[in-house]
Amino acid sequence: LGWELCCAAGLLIFHLGFALLEWDQRRYLSLALWAHSVGYGGVLALAPAALRTYFPSKDLGLVYGLLYQCLAVSFTLFNRS
C-alpha cells in the first residue's frame, strides 16, 4: 500500500471519531478517543515519509522546523483556558 492510501485511511478513522461524538457522546466516547488516537497516530507516523517524498533531504530540517513552529503558534493561540 502507498503512503497516500494509508494517510487517507488514518484521516478517515480520525474523522470517524468526530462522527461518533456527533451521534452520542456518552455512548461512543471511548471508541471515539480510540479512533482519534489511531487516526492521528497513523497520519503522524507517515509525515516523515511524506516529507521525504516531496522535499530534498537537505531541506528537511527547515521543513520540520517550520512545521513545529506552526504547531507551537497554533497551540499558543488556541489553547487558552
Side-chain angles (χ1 to χ4, degrees):
L1 297 175
W3 66 267
E4 295 98 348
L5 181 62
C6 294
C7 191
L11 287 174
L12 180 69
I13 292 170
F14 186 72
H15 287 290
L16 179 67
F18 286 119
L20 289 171
L21 289 176
E22 278 293 316
W23 284 327
D24 190 1
Q25 291 181 359
R26 291 181 186 173
R27 186 180 210 184
Y28 296 117
L29 180 64
S30 62
L31 188 58
L33 289 175
W34 177 85
H36 283 156
S37 299
V38 169
Y40 183 71
V43 171
L44 197 61
L46 291 171
L51 290 175
R52 270 188 247 124
T53 302
Y54 288 112
F55 295 101
S57 60
K58 64 178 182 163
D59 294 336
L60 281 179
L62 176 69
V63 172
Y64 279 126
L66 288 174
L67 285 175
Y68 283 121
Q69 288 300 318
C70 292
L71 184 67
V73 168
S74 66
F75 280 162
T76 303
L77 292 177
F78 297 115
N79 199 14
R80 301 206 178 182
S81 41

